[in-house]
Amino acid sequence: MSARGPGWVALLAAALSLTAACAQEAPSNARELIDLRVPRSFPRMIVPEDNPTTRQGVALGRQLYYDRRLDPRGARACADCHLQNRGFTNPMVRGVIPHVNLAWSYYFLWDGHFEGGLEEAMRMEVEVFFGTDVNRLREPDLEEMFLAAFGTREITTRRAAYALAQFQRTMISHDSRFDRYVDGDASAINESERRGMQIFYSERGECFHCHATRLFTDNRFHNIGLDRQVAGTGRGAVTHDPQDDGLFKTPTLRNVERTGPYMHDDRFATLEQVVDFYSEGLVYSDTIDSLMPNVSGGGMRLAPQERADLVAFLRTLTDETFLNNPDLGPPRR
């Protein structure tokens, strides 16, 4: 051994150090980009250059979405408030907005308190809502997933949020009976549902103005006539602009049959109650949206059959493929 000298020992140490470093890093080209296959009828999805959607990143985000280690007390996970079979809402948790097609959102929560893309929204979830302690995430299984997703075992709240954003971008609902009808399958909806669709897209119903495009939301804020006293509520509580008082974000109607109770305060338990409100329950306030029909008369004043038809149409927006997609459910153990 002595014949090899101290130089050999130094060389061996350097080699071992390099091997250890390589074990901590993974080449970026090992990450597999995913084609999200956004439907052509949807708006363009913008994916930030610093967070491309990869198979490894989505797998990590999915794990974190269902993992209670995200919570410092281990008491809850994202999925506890967002149940897949309920359109990623939870009827037992107040004011939950569905986690569906959020890749097109730039305002989050009912009052738009958080602005930006999915990365910013998920950082809020990780750092503010959960207050995640990254030390709880430093376990071998997650370290391997962070290595695969980001090329390093280093775990940060930013990387956790970016992985969650990647997973959220895969949560695209676009295969309801309505979609099949619009795409050419005339048998996908029945006569009552077609009548309801005509009301939805008519100037009499006015539903389509706010629940716009194939996303069924304009991602904006409206006062729809729920309350007479609106000072300091809704978007106004964020902007402190009286013109924003009583305005709340338009929720998507996709899977609306499964996402009740309804409105920002869960005041309506059923779709029938929602339609009854729009038909005869509107009340005036200074910031009520000009799109709301016949406010002085309480609303659309629909006949009983028309109300039933409109509810029937809303149920055609249920996407069973999305609600039962195993790739969006809990990771396999």
Side-chain angles (χ1 to χ4, degrees), residues 226 260-263 265-271 273-274 277-278:
L226 286 167
Y262 305 101
M263 305 301 171
D265 55 5
D266 297 349
R267 69 177 64 187
F268 300 130
T270 68
L271 286 176
Q273 290 174 348
V274 172
F277 159 72
Y278 281 112

Side-chain angles (χ1 to χ4, degrees), residues 24-32 54-57 59-60 141-153:
Q24 295 293 317
E25 305 293 330
S28 60
N29 60 8
R31 296 189 283 281
E32 179 185 339
T54 67
R55 181 178 63 80
Q56 294 83 358
L60 173 59
D141 62 325
L142 290 179
E143 287 179 339
E144 289 297 322
M145 297 187 80
F146 273 89
L147 175 63
F150 296 108
T152 173
R153 295 177 191 275

